[in-house]
Amino acid sequence: MDGDASRTAWEAWRAERLARLRAERGWLSVTGLHWLEPGVNQVAGLPGTFTLRDGRVEIRATRADGYAAGGVPVERRTLATDAAPAPDLLSLGEHRWVQVLERGGRHALRVWDAEAPARREFRVIETFPFDPAWCVEARWDPHPGPRPVEVVDVTGSVTTRLVPGRALFTVGGQELSLEPTADGERLAFVFRDATAGVETYGSGRFLSAAAPRDGRVVLDFNRAFNPPCAFTPFATCPLPRPENVLTVRVTAGERYAAER
């Protein structure tokens, strides 16, 4: 892909990224993250009760409370978490939704509100200027088999993910590497570089890449993006593992203004 085509594709990616962020159930609409304790839980701002028992969460409410799933009123139901193949998503009126999260054996309720001020007021995601030099072809070094690793998130929860290998590349004459976790057919990188906390989000950024081909993987750092935690305090973002902390400045991708 030539330079003009690459820039056009990047601009389309930026527009799609902003649209996802500003969607009704995008990250700008997340207004609550409520961790549940074993037993019956009453959550501020939410009608009904949520009972956590033996790793399952049951809602009990009245029809007047207004919960529904797929347009069907819900009064009592065991809720499938976001770790299930088909998670339950409860609507609460026209503009709010509730879902059960499962993180490292803990359970929480995530709440969206499409009328959240953050969603109404957000305009743009700041980025570094597009630079084709930051579209890097890396050598793929596969592990003999996917290697399980522990990944810590911002809440302190630990989950086990599979690392299929590592990408090796050069920046400014320095040999570097990043280890992704498997994300379906793609690779998911969580990394931090020397711009973190100054020009980019302090805990790091994310990067998605296509599966390796012919022993190579393309890392387009122009598409490095901020984690959800940059837009809401109610996210559970994974933190970079020590293997993914770079000493170089990656002056590509999304930036972050702390005063936002």
Side-chain angles (χ1 to χ4, degrees):
M1 189 180 296
D2 61 34
D4 288 343
S6 295
R7 181 183 296 273
T8 298
W10 174 70
E11 290 173 349
W13 173 83
R14 286 186 65 199
E16 182 182 352
R17 161 85 169 136
L18 182 59
R20 290 198 306 270
L21 189 62
R22 297 183 66 188
E24 281 194 335
R25 291 200 305 275
W27 287 109
L28 294 170
S29 299
V30 178
T31 57
L33 181 68
H34 306 279
W35 294 99
L36 302 177
E37 298 293 337
V40 179
N41 294 261
Q42 291 183 308
V43 178
L46 295 179
T49 62
F50 297 84
T51 300
L52 172 60
R53 182 174 293 114
D54 298 328
R56 297 185 177 186
V57 176
E58 181 186 65
I59 182 174
R60 294 192 182 188
T62 66
R63 184 172 289 249
D65 288 329
Y67 287 108
V72 179
V74 171
E75 297 179 55
R76 181 172 180 174
R77 179 172 178 154
T78 297
L79 300 172
T81 75
D82 67 335
D88 282 316
L89 180 69
L90 298 178
S91 60
L92 183 58
E94 296 183 3
H95 306 291
R96 300 174 73 199
W97 297 268
V98 180
Q99 189 173 67
V100 180
L101 309 187
E102 188 174 349
R103 298 290 184 273
R106 303 167 67 202
H107 293 76
L109 301 180
R110 173 171 287 156
V111 181
W112 291 262
D113 184 347
E115 297 184 333
R119 179 175 182 244
R120 292 199 311 265
E121 298 167 5
F122 195 86
R123 295 292 177 266
V124 68
I125 306 173
E126 298 176 8
T127 68
F128 289 99
F130 176 78
D131 184 351
W134 278 109
C135 186
V136 178
E137 185 177 75
R139 179 171 64 85
W140 179 247
D141 180 25
H143 295 318
R147 180 163 58 89
V149 298
E150 290 188 340
V151 176
V152 181
D153 69 27
V154 294
T155 71
S157 295
V158 179
T159 57
T160 300
R161 303 284 180 87
L162 296 178
V163 173
R166 60 175 181 162
L168 299 101
F169 56 102
T170 302
V171 171
Q174 185 172 346
E175 296 289 335
L176 304 169
S177 67
L178 289 173
E179 290 189 350
T181 54
D183 183 20
E185 297 298 317
R186 297 182 65 82
L187 303 175
F189 295 86
V190 181
F191 74 97
R192 185 168 64 242
D193 66 275
T195 66
V198 182
E199 299 166 277
T200 61
Y201 192 64
S203 65
R205 292 180 285 171
F206 294 175
L207 181 65
S208 178
R213 183 176 180 180
D214 299 327
R216 316 296 288 181
V217 61
V218 176
L219 306 179
D220 188 353
F221 288 101
N222 291 290
R223 302 191 185 197
F225 59 99
N226 292 327
C229 293
F231 305 102
T232 175
F234 306 115
T236 59
C237 307
L239 297 171
R241 297 170 51 245
E243 292 84 351
N244 285 358
V245 177
L246 304 177
T247 57
V248 301
R249 295 176 68 242
V250 177
T251 54
E254 292 184 357
R255 304 181 66 163
Y256 179 76
E259 66 272 12
R260 179 184 295 123

CSV table of all heavy atoms in Angstrom, one decimal, residues 1 25 31-32 34 59 102 120-121 127 141 144 161 163 168 173 178 191 195 209 214 217 220 224 232 238 258:
chain,number,residue,atom,x,y,z
A,1,MET,N,0.8,-1.2,0.0
A,1,MET,CA,0.0,0.0,0.0
A,1,MET,C,0.9,1.2,0.0
A,1,MET,O,1.8,1.4,0.8
A,1,MET,CB,-0.9,0.0,1.3
A,1,MET,CG,-2.0,1.1,1.2
A,1,MET,SD,-3.0,1.0,2.7
A,1,MET,CE,-3.8,-0.5,2.5
A,25,ARG,N,-23.4,2.4,23.5
A,25,ARG,CA,-22.7,1.5,24.5
A,25,ARG,C,-21.2,1.5,24.4
A,25,ARG,O,-20.5,0.5,24.7
A,25,ARG,CB,-23.3,0.1,24.6
A,25,ARG,CG,-24.7,0.0,25.0
A,25,ARG,CD,-25.1,-1.4,25.5
A,25,ARG,NE,-24.8,-2.4,24.5
A,25,ARG,CZ,-25.7,-2.7,23.5
A,25,ARG,NH1,-26.8,-2.1,23.4
A,25,ARG,NH2,-25.4,-3.7,22.6
A,31,THR,N,-20.8,4.4,33.0
A,31,THR,CA,-21.0,5.3,34.1
A,31,THR,C,-20.8,4.6,35.5
A,31,THR,O,-20.9,5.3,36.5
A,31,THR,CB,-22.3,6.0,34.1
A,31,THR,OG1,-23.4,5.0,34.1
A,31,THR,CG2,-22.4,6.9,32.9
A,32,GLY,N,-20.7,3.3,35.5
A,32,GLY,CA,-20.5,2.6,36.8
A,32,GLY,C,-19.9,1.2,36.6
A,32,GLY,O,-20.0,0.6,35.6
A,34,HIS,N,-19.6,-1.8,39.6
A,34,HIS,CA,-20.0,-2.1,41.0
A,34,HIS,C,-19.6,-3.5,41.3
A,34,HIS,O,-20.2,-4.5,40.7
A,34,HIS,CB,-21.5,-1.9,41.2
A,34,HIS,CG,-22.0,-0.5,40.7
A,34,HIS,ND1,-21.9,0.6,41.6
A,34,HIS,CD2,-22.6,-0.1,39.6
A,34,HIS,CE1,-22.4,1.6,40.9
A,34,HIS,NE2,-22.8,1.3,39.7
A,59,ILE,N,-30.6,-11.7,39.4
A,59,ILE,CA,-31.3,-10.4,39.6
A,59,ILE,C,-32.8,-10.8,40.1
A,59,ILE,O,-33.4,-11.7,39.6
A,59,ILE,CB,-31.4,-9.6,38.3
A,59,ILE,CG1,-32.1,-8.2,38.6
A,59,ILE,CG2,-32.0,-10.3,37.1
A,59,ILE,CD1,-32.1,-7.3,37.5
A,102,GLU,N,-17.1,-10.7,34.7
A,102,GLU,CA,-16.3,-11.6,35.5
A,102,GLU,C,-14.8,-11.4,35.3
A,102,GLU,O,-14.4,-11.5,34.2
A,102,GLU,CB,-16.7,-13.1,35.1
A,102,GLU,CG,-16.2,-14.1,36.0
A,102,GLU,CD,-16.7,-15.5,35.6
A,102,GLU,OE1,-17.6,-15.6,34.8
A,102,GLU,OE2,-16.1,-16.5,36.2
A,120,ARG,N,-21.7,13.0,25.5
A,120,ARG,CA,-22.2,14.2,24.8
A,120,ARG,C,-21.1,15.2,24.4
A,120,ARG,O,-21.2,15.9,23.4
A,120,ARG,CB,-23.3,14.9,25.7
A,120,ARG,CG,-24.6,14.2,25.9
A,120,ARG,CD,-25.7,15.1,26.3
A,120,ARG,NE,-25.2,15.9,27.5
A,120,ARG,CZ,-25.4,15.6,28.7
A,120,ARG,NH1,-26.1,14.5,29.1
A,120,ARG,NH2,-25.0,16.4,29.7
A,121,GLU,N,-20.1,15.3,25.3
A,121,GLU,CA,-19.2,16.4,25.2
A,121,GLU,C,-17.9,16.0,24.4
A,121,GLU,O,-17.1,16.9,24.0
A,121,GLU,CB,-18.8,16.9,26.6
A,121,GLU,CG,-19.9,17.5,27.4
A,121,GLU,CD,-19.7,17.6,28.8
A,121,GLU,OE1,-18.5,17.4,29.2
A,121,GLU,OE2,-20.6,18.0,29.6
A,127,THR,N,-4.0,12.5,18.2
A,127,THR,CA,-3.0,11.5,17.7
A,127,THR,C,-1.7,12.2,17.3
A,127,THR,O,-1.7,13.4,17.1
A,127,THR,CB,-3.6,10.8,16.5
A,127,THR,OG1,-3.7,11.7,15.4
A,127,THR,CG2,-4.9,10.1,16.7
A,141,ASP,N,8.5,-14.8,16.2
A,141,ASP,CA,9.2,-15.9,16.9
A,141,ASP,C,8.2,-16.7,17.7
A,141,ASP,O,7.9,-16.3,18.8
A,141,ASP,CB,10.3,-15.4,17.8
A,141,ASP,CG,11.1,-16.4,18.5
A,141,ASP,OD1,11.1,-17.6,18.0
A,141,ASP,OD2,11.6,-16.1,19.6
A,144,PRO,N,6.8,-22.9,21.1
A,144,PRO,CA,6.4,-24.2,20.7
A,144,PRO,C,4.9,-24.5,20.8
A,144,PRO,O,4.4,-25.3,20.1
A,144,PRO,CB,7.3,-25.1,21.6
A,144,PRO,CG,8.4,-24.2,22.0
A,144,PRO,CD,7.9,-22.8,22.1
A,161,ARG,N,-3.9,-15.6,30.3
A,161,ARG,CA,-4.0,-15.4,28.9
A,161,ARG,C,-2.9,-16.3,28.2
A,161,ARG,O,-1.9,-16.7,28.8
A,161,ARG,CB,-3.8,-14.0,28.4
A,161,ARG,CG,-4.8,-13.0,29.1
A,161,ARG,CD,-6.2,-13.1,28.5
A,161,ARG,NE,-7.1,-12.1,29.2
A,161,ARG,CZ,-7.2,-10.9,28.8
A,161,ARG,NH1,-6.5,-10.4,27.8
A,161,ARG,NH2,-8.1,-10.1,29.5
A,163,VAL,N,0.0,-16.6,25.3
A,163,VAL,CA,1.0,-15.9,24.5
A,163,VAL,C,1.5,-16.9,23.4
A,163,VAL,O,2.2,-17.8,23.8
A,163,VAL,CB,2.1,-15.3,25.3
A,163,VAL,CG1,3.2,-14.7,24.4
A,163,VAL,CG2,1.6,-14.3,26.3
A,168,LEU,N,9.7,-9.5,16.9
A,168,LEU,CA,11.0,-8.8,17.1
A,168,LEU,C,11.2,-7.8,15.9
A,168,LEU,O,10.9,-8.1,14.8
A,168,LEU,CB,12.1,-9.9,17.0
A,168,LEU,CG,12.1,-10.9,18.1
A,168,LEU,CD1,11.5,-12.2,17.6
A,168,LEU,CD2,13.4,-11.2,18.7
A,173,GLY,N,17.8,1.6,15.3
A,173,GLY,CA,18.9,0.7,15.5
A,173,GLY,C,18.9,-0.2,16.7
A,173,GLY,O,19.8,-0.9,17.0
A,178,LEU,N,8.0,-7.5,21.4
A,178,LEU,CA,6.7,-7.4,22.1
A,178,LEU,C,6.0,-8.7,22.1
A,178,LEU,O,6.1,-9.5,21.1
A,178,LEU,CB,5.8,-6.3,21.5
A,178,LEU,CG,6.1,-4.9,21.6
A,178,LEU,CD1,5.2,-4.0,20.8
A,178,LEU,CD2,6.1,-4.4,23.1
A,191,PHE,N,1.2,-2.5,25.5
A,191,PHE,CA,2.6,-2.0,25.6
A,191,PHE,C,2.7,-0.6,26.2
A,191,PHE,O,1.7,0.1,26.2
A,191,PHE,CB,3.4,-2.0,24.3
A,191,PHE,CG,3.0,-0.9,23.4
A,191,PHE,CD1,3.7,0.2,23.3
A,191,PHE,CD2,1.8,-1.0,22.6
A,191,PHE,CE1,3.4,1.3,22.4
A,191,PHE,CE2,1.5,0.0,21.7
A,191,PHE,CZ,2.2,1.1,21.6
A,195,THR,N,7.0,7.5,25.9
A,195,THR,CA,6.1,8.7,25.8
A,195,THR,C,5.0,8.6,26.9
A,195,THR,O,4.3,9.6,27.2
A,195,THR,CB,5.4,8.8,24.5
A,195,THR,OG1,4.5,7.6,24.3
A,195,THR,CG2,6.4,8.8,23.3
A,209,ALA,N,-3.0,-6.6,15.7
A,209,ALA,CA,-2.3,-7.0,14.5
A,209,ALA,C,-2.8,-8.3,13.9
A,209,ALA,O,-3.3,-9.1,14.7
A,209,ALA,CB,-0.8,-7.1,14.8
A,214,ASP,N,4.0,-16.0,6.9
A,214,ASP,CA,5.4,-16.3,6.4
A,214,ASP,C,6.4,-15.8,7.4
A,214,ASP,O,7.5,-15.3,7.0
A,214,ASP,CB,5.6,-15.6,5.0
A,214,ASP,CG,4.6,-16.2,4.0
A,214,ASP,OD1,4.3,-17.4,4.1
A,214,ASP,OD2,4.2,-15.4,3.1
A,217,VAL,N,5.1,-10.4,11.0
A,217,VAL,CA,3.9,-9.7,11.5
A,217,VAL,C,4.0,-8.2,11.4
A,217,VAL,O,5.1,-7.7,11.6
A,217,VAL,CB,3.6,-10.1,13.0
A,217,VAL,CG1,4.7,-9.7,13.9
A,217,VAL,CG2,2.2,-9.6,13.4
A,220,ASP,N,1.5,-1.8,13.0
A,220,ASP,CA,1.3,-0.4,12.6
A,220,ASP,C,1.0,0.4,13.8
A,220,ASP,O,-0.1,0.6,14.2
A,220,ASP,CB,0.1,-0.4,11.6
A,220,ASP,CG,0.0,1.0,11.0
A,220,ASP,OD1,0.7,1.9,11.4
A,220,ASP,OD2,-0.9,1.1,10.0
A,224,ALA,N,-1.9,2.5,17.2
A,224,ALA,CA,-1.8,2.2,18.6
A,224,ALA,C,-2.9,3.1,19.3
A,224,ALA,O,-3.1,4.2,19.0
A,224,ALA,CB,-0.5,2.6,19.2
A,232,THR,N,-12.8,6.3,30.8
A,232,THR,CA,-13.7,6.1,31.9
A,232,THR,C,-13.0,5.5,33.0
A,232,THR,O,-12.1,4.6,32.8
A,232,THR,CB,-14.9,5.2,31.5
A,232,THR,OG1,-15.7,4.9,32.6
A,232,THR,CG2,-14.4,3.9,30.9
A,238,PRO,N,-6.2,-4.3,31.1
A,238,PRO,CA,-5.0,-5.0,31.4
A,238,PRO,C,-3.8,-4.1,31.4
A,238,PRO,O,-3.8,-3.1,30.6
A,238,PRO,CB,-4.9,-6.1,30.4
A,238,PRO,CG,-5.7,-5.5,29.2
A,238,PRO,CD,-6.8,-4.7,29.8
A,258,ALA,N,-3.8,14.6,29.8
A,258,ALA,CA,-4.3,14.3,31.2
A,258,ALA,C,-5.4,15.2,31.7
A,258,ALA,O,-6.2,14.9,32.5
A,258,ALA,CB,-3.1,14.3,32.1
